[in-house]
């Protein structure tokens, strides 16, 4: 899962980036409204955290233009503007959630997870596929009730697959949602990561779809 973080306060941005990474998110950070609009229009994210008071282009204008272009990106506004009129204009522009500064980082993370879950059609905080289960609150993964220890990238990848299970996801898509920034990487790293996750899960859950990518699914009896 990858978050677009739009925040011009660099100290705060760094604090959020660390907390998000610890919570299992890849993060792409931008500092002004123009960059935010470009990233939101051209790069794939699972959700955005958007400040309103931004250089170059105000957060409400960013949101308005993103929605005008048809973007369904879940957006949590994180701002010092606590007036009702500010909240109203953000929601009118297409915000999905609104948190005012000062804030509890954990609350922002819990709200982000809920936004992502709803946007991918999941209603409960536990994601399941056959014997595999992920509790999105504490990031615990189990297979048949037995805990599975995963590295942060393995966990990010598995979380993405669980949100998008029953659908084939390409290596490029996985790479875009698992790694920070927009660095080009060899798609072999995904195959290596996938092999390690399969070994750790020990159950036939991740299927290779030749020429297309991977699919997470459980076929009892297969
Ligand atoms: Ca600001």
């Amino acid at each position: 899962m990858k978050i677009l973080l739009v925040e011009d306060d660099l100290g705060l941005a760094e604090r959020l980036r660390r907390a998000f990474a610890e919570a299992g998110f890849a993060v792409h950070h931008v500092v002004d409204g123009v960059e935010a609009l470009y990233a939101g229009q051209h790069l794939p994210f699972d959700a955005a955290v958007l400040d309103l008071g931004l250089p170059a282009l105000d957060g409400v204008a960013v949101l308005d233009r993103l929605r005008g272009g048809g973007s369904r990106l879940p957006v949590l506004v994180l701002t010092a503007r606590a007036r009702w009129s500010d909240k109203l204009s953000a929601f009118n522009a297409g915000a999905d959630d609104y948190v005012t500064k000062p804030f509890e980082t954990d609350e922002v993370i819990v709200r982000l997870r809920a936004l992502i879950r709803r946007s991918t059609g999941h209603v409960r905080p536990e994601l399941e596929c056959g014997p595999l289960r992920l509790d999105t609150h504490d990031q615990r993964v189990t297979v048949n009730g037995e805990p599975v220890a995963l590295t942060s990238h393995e966990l990010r990848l598995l979380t993405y697959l669980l949100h998008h299970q029953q659908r084939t996801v390409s290596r490029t898509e996985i790479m875009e949602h698992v790694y920070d920034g927009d660095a080009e990487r060899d798609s072999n790293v995904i195959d290596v990561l996938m092999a390690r996750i399969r070994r750790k899960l020990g159950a036939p859950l991740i299927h290779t779809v030749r020429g297309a990518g991977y699919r997470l699914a459980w076929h009892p009896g297969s």
Side-chain angles (χ1 to χ4, degrees), residues 22-24 113 124-129 131-152 154-156 158-159 162-163 201:
E22 209 164 294
R113 288 197 180 122
R124 296 182 53 80
E126 302 88 21
L127 301 175
E128 291 178 335
C129 181
L132 169 66
R133 183 185 159 101
L134 164 69
D135 183 331
T136 58
H137 286 320
D138 60 12
Q139 307 285 93
R140 272 169 50 88
V141 174
T142 55
V143 172
N144 291 318
E146 294 293 319
V148 179
L150 298 173
T151 66
S152 63
E154 290 165 1
L155 184 60
R156 282 184 198 173
L158 189 64
T159 305
L162 271 161
H163 275 91
L201 297 182

Side-chain angles (χ1 to χ4, degrees), residues 3 23 38 41 44-45 71 73 81-82 104 111 119 138 147 150 158 175 199 201 204 220:
I3 305 297
Y38 179 87
Q41 284 169 335
F45 297 102
S71 170
L73 179 67
R81 298 180 190 169
E104 290 290 335
R111 286 173 179 271
S119 74
D138 60 12
L150 298 173
L158 189 64
M175 208 133 44
R199 213 161 35 235
L201 297 182

Side-chain angles (χ1 to χ4, degrees), residues 6-9 12 31 51-55 78-81 101:
V6 187
E7 176 58 68
D8 61 326
D9 176 337
L12 174 58
V31 298
D51 184 19
L52 293 185
L54 291 169
L78 186 60
T79 177
R81 298 180 190 169
K101 299 169 183 172

Side-chain angles (χ1 to χ4, degrees), residues 78-121:
L78 186 60
T79 177
R81 298 180 190 169
R83 286 180 313 185
W84 160 240
S85 59
D86 290 316
K87 294 179 186 173
L88 184 63
S89 62
F91 279 109
N92 280 340
D96 298 293
D97 202 354
Y98 197 105
V99 176
T100 52
K101 299 169 183 172
F103 58 91
E104 290 290 335
T105 308
D106 285 347
E107 182 184 343
V108 172
I109 289 168
V110 166
R111 286 173 179 271
L112 272 178
R113 288 197 180 122
L115 282 182
I116 293 171
R117 211 163 62 218
R118 282 199 298 275
S119 74
T120 55

Side-chain angles (χ1 to χ4, degrees), residues 4 10-11 28-29 34 41 49 58-59 76 79 81 85 89 93-94 104 125 132 136 156 189 194 197 205 207:
L4 170 61
L10 296 183
H28 180 78
H29 171 226
V34 171
Q41 284 169 335
V49 172
D58 185 80
L76 181 150
T79 177
R81 298 180 190 169
S85 59
S89 62
E104 290 290 335
L132 169 66
T136 58
R156 282 184 198 173
V189 301
M194 205 65 83
I197 298 171
L205 285 153
H207 310 274

